[in-house]
Amino acid sequence: MGTRGPGVTLDAFTDRYAQRTHGMTASEIRALFAVASRPEVVSLAGGMPNLSALPLDAVGKLMGELVQTRGTQALQYGSGQGDPQLRELICEVMALEGIVASPEDVVVTVGSQQALDLVTRVFCDPGDVVLAEAPSYVGALGTFSAYQADVVHVAMDEHGLVPEALREAIAAVQASGRRAKFLYTVPNFHNPAGVSMVESRRDEVLEICCSAGLLVLEDNPYGLLGFDAPPTRAIRSRSSGPGQQNDDVLYLGSFSKTFAPGLRVGWVLAPHAVREKLVLAAEAAVLCPPQLNQMVVAEYLATQDWQGQVSAFRGMYRERRDAMLDALRQQMPTGTTWTHPTGGFYVWVTLPGDLDSKVLLPRAVTARVAFVPGTAFFADGSGRSHLRLSYCYPTPERIREGVRRLSVVLEEEVELRQTFGSTGISKPSRPQAESPSPDLA
Ligand SMILES: Cc1ncc(COP(=O)(O)O)c(C=O)c1O
């Protein structure tokens, strides 16, 4: 990096970067972290799991004992595919969602984010199409963009991905002479939409993809965090013939939301042949996933009441979801609508009239509340009339206060627009105590 003149930073390497870096730009969530982490701001933006309910003493003891008793293994390189004992336990975790799997077909990854990266690396050439829900998880969009894949969004409604829209998208991609490689879907407690794909659509979506020769990338970090009902059967568990589960589905899992994101342990379940490629790609990237972290997760699953812990997480998140939905109902201006999640971390809000979430964000931060504008979740820059609220991290009191602050900002904007019309209103109606961070521009 070089600098020219005050405040102007030039990147002296620009003409030497690979083509693929052109799609690598900082996500809006990342830019937000700097601002939203100030204590005076109620952040309804980031999706950080709330670890306050974790039994830290027990986890600390377990980690200490691991190093003392099996330190030479725990601190050593391990297998590129991941620790065999952990892979067996992962199969037991997946069985809770109806998946029958062999540890042979599981590859442990550095969070499910690395699984997204490996799968895209293995399947996508530049210009290949990935079908993805509208909206989609921002981290997945970043990965697809880094591999120069083109995202074609497929509509969702309150029951999840719309099968008819999927058929139409596949036909449109075929008609344009391009090749779609897979459908990326988050069927449970969607990030950011806060909805789940209903049972009946899961078979239909799978059938549509299979007949079009498309793989399904089923990303399921929130599946065990349902508030009202046992987990819905995974798409991966659906039958493709008598006694056989479907091999056209690559399933991604993670311990980030059910245990601890800092350990960075996730996995991908893939058909045998694909698994080989994924392991080679993983070895090229990281040699092997961190052995100590994998052994911590394995020990935690084997010796602690981890399902009881997940149940405690569910209770905590349910209370926060209730606080957010109550506050939204009481405070939001007429015409605002939102989803009603039955699990997970997120509520997807649709703004009234032609309000623009990107324009609103700096004002919201001035009013000491943060959210993520809907545009972060679309590859094509759409989504301005939406925003994502997370209820996972703040206390219920902070959530209520955050929604109250947001509702004031929305009310003011609605009033301004009624008074001055919809164009060109950027004048803040209250004195700005502090200017919003340039990060948010
Ligand atoms: C839908 C989805 N997939 C993948 C991830 C990545 O999770 P991790 O890499 O921590 O397993 C997240 C994180 O928020 C997510 O929401």
Side-chain angles (χ1 to χ4, degrees):
M1 293 276 223
T3 55
R4 185 181 294 168
V8 181
T9 304
L10 292 179
D11 183 345
F13 302 94
T14 303
D15 61 347
R16 284 174 277 179
Y17 286 132
Q19 282 284 335
R20 75 182 74 88
T21 63
H22 295 171
M24 295 180 187
T25 48
S27 81
E28 311 198 22
I29 292 187
R30 180 201 288 216
L32 272 168
F33 272 130
V35 181
S37 58
R38 293 192 208 143
E40 70 274 18
V41 176
V42 176
S43 177
L44 305 175
M48 277 201 301
N50 193 323
L51 302 185
S52 59
L54 263 186
L56 292 180
D57 286 351
V59 176
K61 186 160 170 278
L62 171 159
M63 290 172 98
E65 280 172 8
L66 252 183
V67 174
Q68 273 166 13
T69 58
R70 288 192 280 156
T72 53
Q73 183 193 352
L75 300 173
Q76 187 55 275
Y77 289 116
S79 142
Q81 188 177 348
D83 181 68
Q85 193 208 344
L86 177 61
R87 286 191 278 114
E88 269 179 35
L89 292 164
I90 283 173
C91 291
E92 289 174 23
V93 174
M94 290 191 290
L96 297 174
E97 298 189 317
I99 295 174
V100 179
S102 153
E104 285 298 296
D105 295 333
V106 173
V107 180
V108 179
T109 53
V110 181
S112 53
Q113 189 65 37
Q114 194 204 9
L116 280 167
D117 182 277
L118 296 178
V119 170
T120 315
R121 188 187 308 202
V122 162
F123 283 101
C124 288
D125 286 315
D128 279 345
V129 169
V130 170
L131 299 171
E133 285 142 343
S136 267
Y137 165 54
V138 62
L141 294 179
T143 302
F144 303 148
S145 160
Y147 286 102
Q148 298 167 284
D150 289 336
V151 172
V152 171
H153 283 295
V154 183
M156 301 172 86
D157 61 18
E158 71 272 28
H159 305 302
L161 186 80
V162 179
E164 198 43 43
L166 177 60
R167 278 195 197 91
E168 285 166 16
I170 292 173
V173 171
Q174 280 167 352
S176 72
R178 290 182 303 160
R179 174 138 197 234
K181 287 291 178 67
F182 54 76
L183 165 72
Y184 170 69
T185 175
V186 180
N188 295 312
F189 319 122
H190 190 274
N191 176 8
V195 297
S196 295
M197 198 191 296
V198 289
E199 183 78 41
S200 58
R201 285 193 183 173
R202 297 186 180 218
D203 290 318
E204 197 178 351
V205 163
L206 184 55
E207 199 200 301
I208 296 169
C209 288
C210 288
S211 11
L214 271 184
L215 292 170
V216 177
L217 185 52
E218 177 178 24
D219 185 9
N220 188 29
Y222 305 100
L224 299 183
L225 294 178
F227 303 146
D228 309 324
T232 313
R233 275 201 307 121
I235 302 177
R236 175 61 178 71
S237 75
R238 315 263 145 181
S239 149
S240 64
Q244 235 198 325
Q245 294 197 343
N246 206 299
D247 245 9
D248 289 316
V249 183
L250 306 187
Y251 175 96
L252 272 47
S254 173
F255 292 106
S256 288
K257 321 292 177 184
T258 50
F259 182 19
L263 290 170
R264 310 303 304 126
V265 179
W267 71 92
V268 51
L269 170 68
H272 204 70
V274 176
R275 184 265 279 167
E276 292 282 301
K277 293 271 185 238
L278 292 172
V279 172
L280 290 171
E283 284 172 348
V286 293
L287 292 182
C288 62
Q291 183 64 24
L292 173 62
N293 298 14
Q294 293 179 81
M295 288 173 73
V296 169
V297 175
E299 198 64 13
Y300 178 75
L301 295 176
T303 64
Q304 305 293 308
D305 175 17
W306 75 271
Q307 296 205 45
Q309 180 58 43
V310 173
S311 171
F313 280 138
R314 280 196 291 264
M316 191 178 65
Y317 293 132
R318 184 194 289 113
E319 190 192 355
R320 284 160 168 75
R321 184 270 322 251
D322 289 345
M324 179 165 278
L325 292 183
D326 277 353
L328 287 167
R329 205 170 39 244
Q330 285 164 18
Q331 321 255 14
M332 280 291 123
T334 318
T336 317
T337 58
W338 53 89
T339 52
H340 295 79
T342 54
F345 291 0
Y346 310 104
V347 173
W348 184 243
V349 175
T350 304
L351 297 169
D354 56 358
L355 257 54
D356 181 330
S357 59
K358 249 183 143 165
V359 172
L360 285 172
L361 182 59
R363 291 172 172 225
V365 172
T366 304
R368 294 171 295 122
V369 59
F371 58 81
V372 185
T375 45
F377 307 99
F378 290 85
D380 56 10
S382 57
R384 284 176 175 271
S385 58
H386 302 277
L387 54 90
R388 187 192 79 178
L389 299 178
S390 310
Y391 50 80
C392 45
Y393 197 75
T395 60
E397 294 67 42
R398 295 270 288 174
I399 289 171
R400 281 187 210 101
E401 177 56 19
V403 172
R404 191 194 64 74
R405 292 176 188 175
L406 178 61
S407 68
V408 171
V409 174
L410 295 191
E411 292 280 10
E412 287 182 351
E413 185 70 14
V414 169
E415 267 173 42
L416 272 173
R417 282 175 183 245
Q418 279 164 358
T419 313
F420 297 105
S422 62
T423 50
I425 305 298
S426 57
K427 184 169 59 104
S429 59
R430 59 167 75 182
Q432 287 190 293
E434 52 187 270
S435 34
S437 158
D439 282 336
L440 291 169

